[in-house]
Amino acid sequence: MSAPTDLSAAHGAIATPEVTTPAAPTDDHASAPERGAPRVDVPALESLLLGRWAPERRKARGAACDDRYVRVDGLTMDEHRERVFGQLGLLVEEGHVLRAFPTRLGGADMPGGNIAAFEELAAADLSLQIKSGVQWGLFGAAILHLGTPEQQDRLLPGAMSLAVPGAFAMTETGHGSDVASIATTATYDPETGEFDLHTPFRGAWKDYLGNAGKDGVAATVFAQLVTAGVNHGVHCFYVPIREVGDDGRAGAFLPGVGGEDDGLKGGLNGIDNGRLHFTHVRVPRENLLARYGTVAADGTYASSIESPGRRFFTMLGSLVQGRVSLDGASSVVSKMALAIAVRYGNERRQFAGAGLDEVVLLDYGRHQRRLIPRIAETYAMSFAHDRLLDLFDAVFSGEHDDAETREELETMAAALKSTSTWFTMDTLQEVREACGGAGFLAQNRVTQLRHDFDIYTTFEGDNNVLLQLVGKRLLTEYGKQFKGISAGGMARYVVDRAADLALHGTPLHRAVQTVVDGGSARRAAGHLRDEATQRELLTYRVEAAVAELAGALRSASKLSPQEAFDLFNAHQNELITVARAHGQLLKWEAFTQTLAGVEDEGTRQVLTWARDLFGLSLVERELGWYLVNGRLSAQRARTVTSYIDRLVGRLRPHAQDLVDAFGYGPEHLRAEVATGNEKARQDEARAYLADLVASGDAPVSEKSLQRSKRG
Amino acid sequence: MSAPTDLSAAHGAIATPEVTTPAAPTDDHASAPERGAPRVDVPALESLLLGRWAPERRKARGAACDDRYVRVDGLTMDEHRERVFGQLGLLVEEGHVLRAFPTRLGGADMPGGNIAAFEELAAADLSLQIKSGVQWGLFGAAILHLGTPEQQDRLLPGAMSLAVPGAFAMTETGHGSDVASIATTATYDPETGEFDLHTPFRGAWKDYLGNAGKDGVAATVFAQLVTAGVNHGVHCFYVPIREVGDDGRAGAFLPGVGGEDDGLKGGLNGIDNGRLHFTHVRVPRENLLARYGTVAADGTYASSIESPGRRFFTMLGSLVQGRVSLDGASSVVSKMALAIAVRYGNERRQFAGAGLDEVVLLDYGRHQRRLIPRIAETYAMSFAHDRLLDLFDAVFSGEHDDAETREELETMAAALKSTSTWFTMDTLQEVREACGGAGFLAQNRVTQLRHDFDIYTTFEGDNNVLLQLVGKRLLTEYGKQFKGISAGGMARYVVDRAADLALHGTPLHRAVQTVVDGGSARRAAGHLRDEATQRELLTYRVEAAVAELAGALRSASKLSPQEAFDLFNAHQNELITVARAHGQLLKWEAFTQTLAGVEDEGTRQVLTWARDLFGLSLVERELGWYLVNGRLSAQRARTVTSYIDRLVGRLRPHAQDLVDAFGYGPEHLRAEVATGNEKARQDEARAYLADLVASGDAPVSEKSLQRSKRG
């Protein structure tokens, strides 16, 4: 149902079909690099992108294009759920999902590699990814990280083998982001040695839980632990919820447990999200997952962490892997979407250009502006994720597990997960539109990815809430700056630290040094393409805004609670904005750091253009801020946009190589327009018209007839 | 699956539940206007929004919450299609859809009222809206606008009654935006007096056509008309495509016709989109819809429009109503989405504020920034649509039907449809996220609206292509400026003209006068809240960018075709950007014009804040441009953002009134979170906690215990 428009160029010709010009099928001039131009070493770049856990990623990609695992469109919700449940069993059998668990129980004690493989499951079906995330990354991980070794030995085997499908019952209908305020209680009864698990009102029902709608036979339930009249805050309990039928599948709810299905969702309909509630359900004392808090038989509470606040954040911080993996899944999904759009953009033709030959979409200036900066940002996102995964692995392998590093990991995960999931949603929409009506058909995959991915922006932490956490951390760091490290410099600090930990296993004096050098090395008139100029602009954005915010909020401690709340609230939007800029800076730093290690000259040149494009696009998006704050002159600001245009033009011939290096072939993309069919259709049309002209049977156009009459 | 975060304010308290403070259910202080503050007259504002065709809108809204018409989630594609097809019959029976057709055939010759009613069907089910749009707004409208009176009499009754479900076969797999280049041919054979309709290759298959997958028994097929060896360009033919079964439903394809189903789509799955192809299908000469071009029995072609280019655009321009109605549907969908999010934002609480009472979402600064500017923009969009519909009605009722007015209508429709559909998509996503996990459940409607609405950004003209058309028109107008009218001033010109036509039925000298006054009345130091300052800033944005573009493209006529194409292409992105700014200016002008007629003082005050917020938000989005171009000083630019913050704060107490005035109740919204259930859940929780405290049985928190030990 498209309607008439005229995209033909400045000369304003109306593109009525003229079949008088031979239109031989030729490759388009701009779709490949010219002679003498740098070339991307695609296999080497693919290898770089696969990163440290390449074998794990490759194995998971193999599953992700295996017919047994791939998403089938058009299933009913029930059919899709059954299919995905069956796939979970296959994942266990085929050794895809247990790497994070202890070797002594059949795992591999390999936290980073486990996440890397998990991320790649996005290419099969996001429902499969998230359902397996629920089982092993949430339910299983809660037992692993919050349980004692004895509890791991007792409870993990069932979770690992899928003998016990489980729900992760943290969120309630009434409390999502504010986990500390959940209202489910677990009250210890010393007479029976049991906890009494209870849901006091409708808002305290557990909600949105995968495996709760149908498949779960147990749950790790978060509740306020009350013993001897004292509420010790949120703890996690292992709770059987359903009978197991003769077929091994979940049956009726156990006594006292109730719930309902969340029903159809905007996506991820292969997962049985649902609600649970508890009416004085009794669980033995041994089912309190007791790593961070125990209750003795007499009801005495004990914890290795004295502060209830720190205890709470430590427990929940141990579950950071969800956010880490969603950041990685963002990279996978953005890569696939851009691979689809670029292939189509290089094959699809619309409107005649200077001659009568039709122009491929990616040769249009606007189309380039829509897609090429997103390719650059996807590289940044992917490289930053590698650093995050290094840091995650360092902490969870025990290599560098201390409170400070954990806090850094949590902050970086929050900054990257939020910016990456938003970017991916935005990219999916741009790609949908860049593929026109074809982009709307299920056979081209993009809308399905978008439906399923949507919830990634708010689960495992609402992006706005996560960024607020990051912003507060920046403010805290700012307070420490006179001790030698500035807030904006934290970006490099965190990235370098990750690299230090991962690549060198050494401490990080170098990072601090870099910050100091960076600070003193500001150049009066750097060029936009200089790494130092970009770093300076992006760092200054964060530093200056944090300093300004800190100044504005300084008086908070002297105000009444209401005034302090109002003051903070009035700056909440700015705080989130600067946190977002910080997340972007982390990505720019990671891209820059990775670039330094690229040896192939052509590849390094092209990636440098992409890094510059990413950095300057960030500056362009906040051009107003830079001008208002006197950091760019009007003249220099104009240059930002024109240099971006130039970079887009330089990268255009490499667009196909850059998305090919993502490593997702047609078997992963499963989009009709990314199979070569579009090129075949275009070639057939052009050949037909050429033959018609050659035959001499082509009708003349009324317009050319009029012209020749007048002429 | 949300995870832990701390949204509590500057004092940094960890919100572990403390039940020591009474938390009586009270209405939130900020959700209603304070004493002495202006108040919105909600019924009067609702009436203003209903506009000129209020009875038609009200009737359609009645259907839109009737169980027989509403969307049912979770149907299979086949079930949804059947349901929607049945609803089309009901629409005919109940007099909802035939107003645009001639009175002599049972219609009402009421083009504007017809579109107004059609738009409101969006509240029932977007599939129902678009399927009826296919039948009556495309298939029927093609017969109406491209056929002769004789053809109308012969072919319209079947289309109107749904006895003949029909497809609108314009787009081909290979040509969407570039309709002029479609490859289907209709070659006249004087020996038989028939056209031979033929599809020469795969790319020329008709594609994405509603009613083609299953229900259509005829189609209005666009093809290159060839007679006597001359191609006269695209014309439309009435072509039977399927047998009609004994049950009156479509059966097998007729000889020579083939096709296939487009299958599952990203949304609108109640519509049977599909493909058609023709192998030398013969149709009688009388089936050429002959209003703009005829072929005599001997094969002689004749047309009232000599230029083939102008003829093409005239024919396709007569189908502008699709774009007009999609602009209106954008308003309906944005209004519903914001009504859902604001209601939820006013009831949902999360995180304790200054005291221990939890804060409603819409009291958070960030949440306000996410939703309140969108309410303002929705008002602008809605008022601008009223002007567009006036203009549409003036042209198609015959009241002001001339070539110039038609061109204005087409330009305004392109500018509004593109900006409105993008805004609506963006709003749907923001609303989804603002409702958190609840926003993802089908029971809260938002994701379903988003899936279905997605394609609105590219059908009836890809938004980027439409904006390019607008940009070219601006450049053309710029060339005429020395004749008395400037390009940027066209915004007011078009709006005023619509108003003149609609409200006064008089010519439009006043409009030109306004432009001249506006130009001379530039003030050196206007305040941002002044209408004149906002107009000046927004108009200058368009005027200056058009002038700069015109300068950059001036040399095109002296260049080779390839160089001219490259030059234009290098500026394509800017051209589209300025066209978008023009579309926004049209909306701002329409808002301002409507404001002038609002009599209730409180309502006018609140709407003025909303208009100012919209205008300044537009400036803020392009702050970099204003600074680079010296139109705002850095100091003034800072003021833009702080004044926006102030306006958001002022509007916050009126947010509920502003969305209530949209006129969509829970029966239209059909979102669980917008029914009052959320407030009931919150009240229950607060009452429970208050009772617990009163009972003296509440456990003390470990934290407060530690505090009292220390104290």
Side-chain angles (χ1 to χ4, degrees):
Chain A
M1 275 191 294
S2 286
T5 48
D6 176 15
L7 227 161
S8 70
H11 42 103
I14 292 153
T16 42
E18 308 246 354
V19 288
T20 49
T21 299
T26 54
D27 283 322
D28 188 78
H29 68 285
S31 64
E34 289 174 24
R35 271 164 200 275
R39 287 189 172 264
V40 174
D41 180 343
V42 176
L45 182 53
E46 182 176 345
S47 197
L48 179 69
L49 285 163
L50 278 166
R52 182 170 161 190
W53 288 282
E56 287 74 20
R57 289 196 187 275
R58 283 213 180 87
K59 180 173 176 182
R61 286 188 193 182
C65 59
D66 179 325
D67 281 347
R68 297 170 306 156
Y69 288 109
V70 302
R71 190 185 203 285
V72 173
D73 292 326
L75 297 181
T76 65
M77 183 177 80
D78 289 340
E79 290 164 351
H80 194 184
R81 286 177 173 187
E82 272 308 290
R83 178 171 168 85
V84 169
F85 183 79
Q87 289 168 336
L88 254 58
L90 270 179
L91 286 174
V92 176
E93 279 174 34
E94 300 187 340
H96 285 292
V97 284
L98 302 177
R99 294 182 188 88
F101 294 102
T103 310
R104 72 175 192 280
L105 298 173
D109 283 311
M110 193 187 200
N114 178 67
I115 297 292
F118 171 78
E119 291 163 1
E120 298 291 339
L121 290 180
D125 180 352
L126 295 180
S127 282
L128 172 61
Q129 180 183 53
I130 297 304
K131 178 97 169 177
S132 78
V134 168
Q135 179 65 23
W136 297 292
L138 292 171
F139 173 67
I143 302 168
L144 175 65
H145 296 302
L146 302 178
T148 61
E150 179 278 324
Q151 291 175 319
Q152 293 172 350
D153 291 348
R154 176 159 51 96
L155 302 172
L156 275 181
M160 290 169 67
S161 70
L162 200 66
V164 181
F168 180 80
M170 177 185 277
T171 294
E172 297 176 354
T173 303
H175 288 100
S177 292
D178 184 7
V179 175
S181 297
I182 56 170
T184 303
T185 50
T187 308
Y188 183 66
D189 177 354
E191 296 194 12
T192 62
E194 291 170 325
F195 285 99
D196 178 283
L197 211 71
H198 190 65
T199 306
F201 45 77
R202 175 62 186 82
W205 284 25
K206 297 295 177 183
D207 206 345
Y208 312 109
L209 322 174
N211 272 341
K214 181 168 163 281
D215 292 325
V217 301
T220 45
V221 179
F222 291 78
Q224 305 289 345
L225 188 162
V226 178
T227 180
V230 177
N231 180 346
H232 293 277
V234 175
H235 287 66
C236 186
F237 301 82
Y238 183 92
V239 185
I241 59 169
R242 280 192 181 92
E243 293 170 357
V244 181
D246 295 336
D247 59 354
R249 297 292 297 271
F253 278 124
L254 293 172
V257 181
E260 63 188 24
D261 202 305
D262 277 324
L264 197 71
K265 303 184 298 292
L268 296 185
N269 281 306
I271 305 170
D272 57 324
N273 294 80
R275 306 181 179 112
L276 294 176
H277 56 82
F278 305 94
T279 307
H280 298 296
V281 170
R282 295 260 161 170
V283 295
R285 187 169 63 92
E286 294 71 26
N287 281 20
L288 161 63
L289 296 177
R291 179 160 170 187
Y292 296 105
T294 59
V295 172
D298 67 354
T300 308
Y301 180 82
S303 171
S304 57
I305 304 176
E306 200 194 359
S307 154
R310 205 155 60 76
R311 188 191 311 139
F312 172 73
F313 284 116
T314 302
M315 279 198 253
L316 296 184
S318 70
L319 303 168
V320 70
Q321 72 182 52
R323 291 175 190 168
V324 173
S325 63
L326 298 191
D327 180 58
S330 300
S331 281
V332 173
V333 172
S334 286
K335 286 171 182 173
M336 291 199 298
L338 287 166
I340 292 169
V342 168
R343 175 91 188 248
Y344 187 62
N346 271 327
E347 295 185 356
R348 172 74 172 181
R349 293 169 182 276
Q350 200 76 173
F351 291 105
L356 292 164
D357 207 13
E358 294 180 309
V359 177
V360 295
L361 298 187
L362 203 53
D363 281 342
Y364 286 108
R366 175 71 165 183
H367 214 75
Q368 291 168 15
R369 261 279 192 169
R370 293 166 75 184
L371 297 179
I372 291 174
R374 289 170 203 278
I375 299 173
E377 186 155 353
T378 299
Y379 271 87
M381 175 164 79
S382 186
F383 293 141
H385 180 68
D386 288 346
R387 300 290 80 74
L388 177 63
L389 212 47
D390 286 338
L391 191 57
F392 172 79
D393 192 73
V395 169
F396 283 85
S397 68
E399 199 185 325
H400 275 268
D401 185 5
D402 55 63
E404 192 194 353
T405 314
R406 282 195 173 228
E407 194 180 353
E408 270 159 31
L409 168 62
E410 287 160 28
T411 307
M412 188 175 181
L416 297 188
K417 180 270 184 184
S418 53
T419 48
S420 296
T421 53
W422 271 335
F423 168 75
T424 300
M425 279 302 281
D426 191 55
T427 296
L428 284 165
Q429 185 60 20
E430 195 68 59
V431 162
R432 201 300 281 161
E433 295 181 29
C435 295
F440 195 56
L441 301 185
Q443 69 177 22
N444 288 316
R445 188 103 190 263
V446 183
T447 51
Q448 265 58 20
L449 284 172
R450 189 173 209 299
H451 298 175
D452 290 336
F453 194 83
D454 184 358
I455 194 65
Y456 286 52
T457 59
T458 52
F459 73 0
E460 292 288 334
D462 176 289
N463 283 355
N464 281 294
V465 179
L466 290 181
L467 285 177
Q468 174 160 296
L469 278 181
V470 173
K472 286 186 174 180
R473 178 82 201 283
L474 292 174
L475 285 171
T476 306
E477 288 295 319
Y478 179 78
K480 297 181 196 161
Q481 74 170 333
F482 300 107
K483 294 179 197 160
I485 180 160
S486 73
M490 204 182 96
R492 267 159 289 146
Y493 174 75
V494 172
V495 170
D496 282 339
R497 185 179 174 101
D500 279 341
L501 288 168
L503 305 176
H504 316 297
T506 60
L508 39 115
H509 304 300
R510 188 173 64 77
V512 178
Q513 190 60 33
T514 307
V515 174
V516 175
D517 289 348
S520 65
R522 278 182 190 144
R523 300 171 45 174
H527 295 292
L528 292 172
R529 69 167 176 275
D530 283 356
E531 191 174 299
T533 306
Q534 292 171 36
R535 173 175 290 127
E536 206 181 302
L537 286 168
L538 298 174
T539 304
Y540 180 78
R541 169 71 182 96
V542 179
E543 281 180 349
V546 169
E548 194 175 327
L549 266 171
L553 297 174
R554 189 161 297 152
S555 64
S557 57
K558 293 169 208 144
L559 300 175
S560 74
Q562 186 64 52
E563 288 168 333
F565 175 83
D566 291 343
L567 177 68
F568 182 82
N569 201 27
H571 291 88
Q572 190 188 30
N573 193 54
E574 284 163 71
L575 184 69
I576 289 173
T577 304
V578 68
R580 197 167 179 163
H582 169 74
Q584 300 287 24
L585 173 56
L586 285 174
K587 292 179 184 183
W588 185 90
E589 288 284 2
F591 200 157
T592 300
Q593 190 178 54
T594 305
L595 254 185
V598 174
E599 288 180 7
D600 177 71
E601 206 179 318
T603 306
R604 195 174 60 243
Q605 177 61 72
V606 172
L607 285 185
T608 302
W609 290 335
R611 193 276 318 272
D612 293 350
L613 176 58
F614 174 59
L616 295 176
S617 296
L618 294 176
V619 173
E620 191 186 43
R621 279 178 225 166
E622 303 212 60
L623 211 52
W625 188 92
Y626 285 101
L627 286 152
V628 163
N629 290 277
R631 200 66 192 173
L632 278 178
S633 66
Q635 190 46 46
R636 178 63 58 89
R638 271 184 188 274
T639 322
V640 170
T641 296
S642 62
Y643 192 53
I644 285 175
D645 288 339
R646 223 188 310 162
L647 287 168
V648 167
R650 279 183 193 155
L651 286 165
R652 190 269 169 267
H654 305 283
Q656 193 65 52
D657 282 350
L658 288 171
V659 300
D660 285 348
F662 292 155
Y664 299 101
E667 72 281 15
H668 297 106
L669 303 179
R670 299 191 300 280
E672 196 270 348
V673 292
T675 56
N677 285 1
E678 181 60 26
K679 183 170 190 310
R681 285 190 289 264
Q682 296 288 339
D683 289 348
E684 182 197 6
R686 287 142 64 87
Y688 172 87
L689 295 173
D691 288 351
L692 186 64
V693 171
S695 74
D697 293 338
V700 296
S701 80
E702 181 185 344
K703 193 199 286 180
S704 59
L705 209 62
Q706 287 184 354
R707 259 201 306 266
S708 58
K709 274 182 192 161
R710 279 197 301 270
Chain B
M1 274 189 293
S2 288
T5 46
D6 176 15
L7 227 160
S8 69
H11 43 102
I14 292 152
T16 43
E18 306 245 354
V19 288
T20 48
T21 298
T26 54
D27 283 320
D28 189 77
H29 69 286
S31 64
E34 288 174 24
R35 273 164 198 275
R39 286 189 172 263
V40 174
D41 180 344
V42 175
L45 183 53
E46 182 175 345
S47 199
L48 179 70
L49 285 163
L50 278 165
R52 183 170 161 191
W53 288 283
E56 288 73 20
R57 288 196 187 275
R58 283 214 179 86
K59 180 172 176 181
R61 286 188 194 182
C65 58
D66 180 325
D67 281 348
R68 297 169 306 155
Y69 289 109
V70 303
R71 189 186 204 284
V72 174
D73 292 326
L75 298 181
T76 65
M77 184 176 80
D78 289 340
E79 290 164 352
H80 194 184
R81 286 177 174 187
E82 271 309 290
R83 177 171 170 84
V84 169
F85 183 80
Q87 290 168 336
L88 254 58
L90 271 178
L91 286 174
V92 176
E93 279 174 32
E94 301 188 340
H96 286 292
V97 285
L98 302 177
R99 295 182 187 87
F101 295 102
T103 309
R104 73 175 192 279
L105 297 172
D109 284 311
M110 192 187 203
N114 178 67
I115 296 292
F118 171 78
E119 291 163 0
E120 298 291 339
L121 291 180
D125 180 352
L126 296 178
S127 282
L128 172 62
Q129 179 182 54
I130 297 306
K131 178 99 169 177
S132 77
V134 168
Q135 179 65 22
W136 297 293
L138 292 171
F139 173 67
I143 300 168
L144 176 65
H145 296 302
L146 302 178
T148 62
E150 179 278 322
Q151 291 176 318
Q152 293 171 350
D153 291 349
R154 175 160 51 96
L155 302 171
L156 274 181
M160 289 168 68
S161 70
L162 200 67
V164 181
F168 180 80
M170 178 186 276
T171 294
E172 297 176 352
T173 303
H175 288 99
S177 292
D178 184 7
V179 176
S181 297
I182 56 170
T184 303
T185 50
T187 308
Y188 184 65
D189 177 355
E191 295 195 13
T192 63
E194 291 170 325
F195 286 99
D196 178 283
L197 210 70
H198 190 64
T199 306
F201 44 77
R202 175 61 187 82
W205 283 26
K206 297 295 177 185
D207 206 345
Y208 312 110
L209 322 175
N211 272 341
K214 179 168 163 280
D215 293 327
V217 301
T220 46
V221 178
F222 291 77
Q224 305 288 346
L225 189 162
V226 178
T227 180
V230 177
N231 180 347
H232 292 278
V234 174
H235 287 66
C236 186
F237 301 81
Y238 184 92
V239 185
I241 59 168
R242 281 193 179 92
E243 293 170 357
V244 181
D246 295 335
D247 59 355
R249 298 293 297 271
F253 278 125
L254 293 172
V257 181
E260 62 189 24
D261 203 305
D262 276 325
L264 197 70
K265 303 184 296 293
L268 297 185
N269 281 306
I271 305 170
D272 57 324
N273 294 80
R275 307 181 178 112
L276 295 176
H277 55 83
F278 305 94
T279 306
H280 298 297
V281 171
R282 295 261 163 169
V283 295
R285 186 170 63 93
E286 294 72 25
N287 281 19
L288 162 64
L289 296 177
R291 178 159 172 190
Y292 295 106
T294 59
V295 171
D298 69 352
T300 308
Y301 180 83
S303 171
S304 56
I305 304 175
E306 200 194 0
S307 154
R310 205 156 60 74
R311 187 190 310 139
F312 172 73
F313 283 115
T314 302
M315 279 199 254
L316 296 185
S318 69
L319 303 168
V320 70
Q321 70 182 54
R323 290 175 191 170
V324 173
S325 63
L326 297 192
D327 180 56
S330 300
S331 282
V332 173
V333 173
S334 286
K335 286 171 182 171
M336 292 199 297
L338 287 167
I340 292 168
V342 168
R343 175 91 188 249
Y344 187 62
N346 271 329
E347 296 185 355
R348 172 74 172 179
R349 293 169 183 275
Q350 200 77 175
F351 291 104
L356 292 164
D357 208 13
E358 292 179 311
V359 177
V360 296
L361 297 188
L362 203 54
D363 281 342
Y364 286 107
R366 175 70 165 185
H367 213 75
Q368 292 168 14
R369 262 280 192 169
R370 293 165 76 183
L371 296 179
I372 292 175
R374 289 170 203 277
I375 298 173
E377 187 155 354
T378 298
Y379 271 86
M381 176 165 80
S382 186
F383 294 140
H385 180 68
D386 289 345
R387 301 288 81 75
L388 177 63
L389 211 48
D390 287 338
L391 191 58
F392 171 79
D393 192 72
V395 168
F396 283 85
S397 67
E399 200 186 323
H400 276 268
D401 186 6
D402 55 62
E404 194 195 354
T405 314
R406 283 194 174 230
E407 194 180 353
E408 271 159 31
L409 169 62
E410 288 161 27
T411 307
M412 188 175 180
L416 297 188
K417 180 269 186 187
S418 53
T419 49
S420 296
T421 53
W422 272 334
F423 168 76
T424 300
M425 280 302 281
D426 192 53
T427 296
L428 285 166
Q429 184 61 20
E430 196 67 59
V431 163
R432 201 299 282 159
E433 295 181 29
C435 295
F440 195 56
L441 301 186
Q443 69 177 24
N444 288 316
R445 190 110 186 259
V446 183
T447 52
Q448 265 58 20
L449 284 172
R450 188 174 210 297
H451 297 174
D452 290 337
F453 194 84
D454 183 359
I455 193 66
Y456 286 52
T457 60
T458 53
F459 73 179
E460 291 289 334
D462 176 288
N463 283 354
N464 281 295
V465 179
L466 291 180
L467 285 177
Q468 175 160 296
L469 278 180
V470 173
K472 286 185 174 181
R473 177 83 200 284
L474 291 174
L475 285 171
T476 307
E477 289 295 319
Y478 180 79
K480 295 182 195 160
Q481 76 168 334
F482 299 108
K483 294 179 197 161
I485 180 158
S486 72
M490 205 181 95
R492 267 158 290 146
Y493 174 75
V494 173
V495 170
D496 283 339
R497 185 178 174 102
D500 280 340
L501 289 168
L503 306 176
H504 317 299
T506 61
L508 40 116
H509 304 299
R510 189 172 65 77
V512 178
Q513 192 61 31
T514 306
V515 173
V516 174
D517 289 349
S520 65
R522 277 181 189 146
R523 301 171 46 175
H527 296 293
L528 291 173
R529 67 167 178 274
D530 283 355
E531 189 174 302
T533 305
Q534 291 170 37
R535 173 175 289 125
E536 206 182 301
L537 286 169
L538 297 173
T539 305
Y540 180 78
R541 168 71 182 96
V542 179
E543 281 180 348
V546 169
E548 192 175 328
L549 266 171
L553 297 174
R554 190 162 294 152
S555 63
S557 58
K558 294 169 208 147
L559 300 176
S560 74
Q562 185 63 51
E563 288 166 333
F565 175 83
D566 291 343
L567 177 68
F568 182 83
N569 200 30
H571 291 89
Q572 189 189 28
N573 193 54
E574 284 163 72
L575 184 70
I576 289 172
T577 304
V578 70
R580 195 166 179 165
H582 170 74
Q584 300 287 25
L585 173 56
L586 285 174
K587 292 179 184 181
W588 184 90
E589 288 285 2
F591 200 157
T592 300
Q593 191 178 53
T594 304
L595 254 185
V598 174
E599 289 180 8
D600 176 71
E601 204 179 321
T603 306
R604 194 174 60 243
Q605 177 60 74
V606 172
L607 285 185
T608 302
W609 290 334
R611 192 276 319 272
D612 293 349
L613 176 58
F614 175 58
L616 295 178
S617 295
L618 294 176
V619 173
E620 191 186 43
R621 278 178 227 167
E622 302 212 60
L623 211 52
W625 188 92
Y626 285 102
L627 286 154
V628 163
N629 290 277
R631 200 64 193 175
L632 279 178
S633 65
Q635 189 47 45
R636 180 60 59 88
R638 269 183 189 274
T639 322
V640 171
T641 296
S642 63
Y643 193 51
I644 285 175
D645 288 338
R646 222 189 310 163
L647 288 167
V648 167
R650 279 183 192 156
L651 286 165
R652 190 267 170 268
H654 305 282
Q656 191 64 52
D657 283 350
L658 288 171
V659 300
D660 284 348
F662 291 154
Y664 298 102
E667 71 281 15
H668 297 107
L669 303 179
R670 299 193 298 284
E672 196 269 348
V673 292
T675 55
N677 285 1
E678 181 59 26
K679 183 170 188 308
R681 283 189 291 264
Q682 296 288 338
D683 289 349
E684 183 197 6
R686 286 142 64 88
Y688 172 87
L689 294 175
D691 288 348
L692 186 63
V693 171
S695 74
D697 294 337
V700 296
S701 80
E702 182 185 342
K703 196 199 285 180
S704 59
L705 208 61
Q706 287 185 354
R707 260 200 305 266
S708 57
K709 275 183 193 162
R710 278 197 302 269

